[in-house]
Every structure is written in structure tokens, then in C-alpha cells.
Amino acid sequence: MKLIIANWKLNPTTLNEAIALVSGLAHLMKVEEFERIVILPPFIFLEELVKRFKHFKWGAQNVFWEKIGAYTGEVSLPMLKGVGAEWVLVGHSERRLIFGETDEDINKKMNTALEAGFNVIVAVGELQKDDHSDEVIKSFKKSITGADKSKLEKLIVAYEPVWAISTTPNAKPDNPARSNQIIGELKHTAFKMFGEDSKKIKFLYGGSVNAENASKFLSEPYIDGALVGGASLKSDEFYEIIKKS
Ligand code: PEP
């Protein structure tokens, strides 16, 4: 059984649309499927969605490491906890590229969120397609350094090659065997950093996963699940992915 995470990004525009999207999905789902589905809506919809749809797991697409203070526009971990979110994504390539977040920023977010008891999804991925994993491995190490060994079952790494994300011009999904190999290298690197405890970390693939290609990615041995952007915005298509996982 694999973990499937929906990253809605800046969609949809209204709460009613968000409710309709989740209701459509909930109607299709079997009871036993809910526990491995995480939805990351925009902050503003979280509170209402958590209240209405308790069977799903809920999280935010970003967070700030400080708890309170003069940080205009930011949202804190206690605020997320207060509305019932238990998951948080940090280091998405859009945060890195559009908002200038660095590996160091992401590392602070990861460590504070893990310490606060959240399930933390850390995204890493190279900008241009190339067959060397050095760039990803470097960013991966910096992003997860110092993670508390006793909390690694709450750490999730999403390998998302930026060139494969559906909104990147000319994007194409990665070859599943290649992603599997990179994820294998990331698992090996994690083992060197954390030893046996590293085996508790889950590794997902993300980048143009859809109903057609999901089973190819999800049948690869090192891939523990998928982070899904565009295809998570249609309940039917997202459910097809869930069925194949
Ligand atoms: C993402 O941006 O996290 C993502 C995986 O997007 P998409 O599935 O649309 O490529």
C-alpha cells in the first residue's frame, strides 16, 4: 500500500470548489483507502476541510519555522496544529525557485516541523534532466541534515525532478526506472547519514503522475508513493491513481 499525496498548489479559487473536489473524491473511495491519502490544500481552506472531511489526512504546502512575531505573511506550526493539520510539505521546487527558499531554509523548516510532531514531506529535485544525481544528493543531504533519528518514521522525501513537473514548459514524466534508481541512491545516502533508522523514511516520486502512468511508478521497488499536483485537481483522475497504488 503506497502513500499518495495531493498538492493542490494555488487551486481552487473558492472554498465551495474545494469542498466539491473533496466530496467527489470521498464518494469514490473505499474506507480502507483513506488512511494513506494526504491532501495539501491552500492554507485558507484547511480549517473547514479538516472539520468536514475527517477521514483524510491533511497538511499545508509550506510553513515558517518561527512560532510567533513580526513575520508578515507567514503561517506557523502552532497555527497549523490548531486547525488540525498533521502534515506539512517543505522545499517544493516552486518555493525554491519562485520564492527563493534555500536548502538551509528548508532544513530549518524540516527540523522544527519534525520536532513539533508533524509528518514532514521534503521535496528535492534537479532543474535540468541529467544522468548524474550529484545535484539532488547534495540538496537532499543539506535539506534533511540534523533530522531527529527517533522521528524518521514521520519524514517523507519527495523526489521531484523539476523538468518533469507538469507546469514546467515541455515537461515529461521521468522514466520510472530512472526515478527508482535515483530514489535508491537517496535511500543509500540516508542510510549513510542515519543508519538503520533511515529505513523508516518514505520516498515518493512526483512529476506529471497521472492515471495512465501511476502504476508504472508505483510498481517500482524503491518508490513508496507519489506526490501528485495537476492530476489531484480532478476527483476521478486522482481516484484512478489511488486505485493503482
Ligand atoms: C508537484 O508540483 O508537486 C507535482 C508533482 O506536480 P505535477 O503532478 O502537476 O507534475
Side-chain angles (χ1 to χ4, degrees):
M1 287 288 119
K2 304 227 168 176
L3 179 65
I4 307 292
I5 304 184
N7 174 19
W8 285 4
K9 311 192 184 190
L10 191 59
N11 301 286
T13 303
T14 66
L15 176 62
N16 282 345
E17 289 170 281
I19 292 169
L21 178 53
V22 188
S23 312
L25 180 62
H27 278 110
L28 297 168
M29 284 181 50
K30 300 199 182 90
V31 181
E32 66 274 15
E33 289 166 336
F34 283 88
E35 63 169 10
R36 58 189 181 82
I37 308 303
V38 183
I39 306 180
L40 312 176
F43 289 128
I44 193 139
F45 303 141
L46 256 175
E47 183 166 13
E48 188 60 29
L49 293 176
V50 174
K51 267 192 219 146
R52 286 183 187 236
F53 301 99
K54 294 196 171 31
H55 295 315
F56 287 100
K57 302 200 176 301
W58 292 100
Q61 300 166 18
N62 182 30
V63 73
F64 190 49
W65 56 79
E66 293 292 347
K67 289 195 178 79
I68 193 162
Y71 304 104
T72 302
E74 294 298 329
V75 168
S76 71
L77 289 158
M79 288 173 186
L80 290 181
K81 201 169 259 181
V83 298
E86 295 176 333
W87 294 67
V88 68
L89 169 64
V90 299
H92 190 276
S93 56
E94 287 146 22
R95 298 296 322 165
R96 294 173 184 264
L97 295 171
I98 306 171
F99 301 100
E101 293 188 13
T102 62
D103 287 326
E104 288 72 21
D105 295 331
I106 287 143
N107 182 248
K108 271 197 224 170
K109 292 181 179 199
M110 185 279 303
N111 275 314
T112 45
L114 213 53
E115 285 310 311
F118 280 76
N119 298 280
V120 189
I121 309 139
V122 179
V124 290
E126 75 281 10
L127 279 177
Q128 307 288 341
K129 186 167 189 171
D130 93 45
D131 287 330
H132 303 284
S133 51
D134 309 1
E135 181 188 339
V136 187
I137 303 263
K138 248 191 232 160
S139 166
F140 169 71
K141 279 192 193 159
K142 284 193 194 161
S143 301
I144 67 158
T145 191
D148 181 341
K149 267 189 168 189
S150 71
K151 297 199 162 83
L152 294 182
E153 76 284 349
K154 292 197 163 207
L155 183 61
I156 296 96
V157 174
Y159 169 57
E160 298 209 301
V162 179
W163 49 267
I165 291 184
S166 66
T167 45
T168 303
N170 308 315
K172 280 203 188 79
D174 194 7
N175 170 341
R178 182 191 168 280
S179 298
N180 186 60
Q181 187 208 318
I182 304 265
I183 289 178
E185 288 177 38
L186 294 177
K187 287 190 172 182
H188 182 65
T189 306
F191 187 80
K192 287 197 272 182
M193 296 171 78
F194 301 105
E196 277 298 311
D197 291 308
S198 71
K199 295 186 178 161
K200 296 179 192 148
I201 307 173
K202 288 185 199 62
F203 287 77
L204 317 182
Y205 167 77
S208 298
V209 172
N210 57 35
E212 233 169 78
N213 62 25
S215 51
K216 295 196 188 97
F217 285 102
L218 295 167
S219 58
E220 291 288 344
Y222 294 139
I223 301 182
D224 304 316
L227 179 56
V228 184
S232 71
L233 295 170
K234 294 173 223 126
S235 359
D236 298 8
E237 177 156 25
F238 190 52
Y239 185 60
E240 284 304 310
I241 297 171
I242 294 170
K243 270 205 303 196
K244 288 173 180 152
S245 60

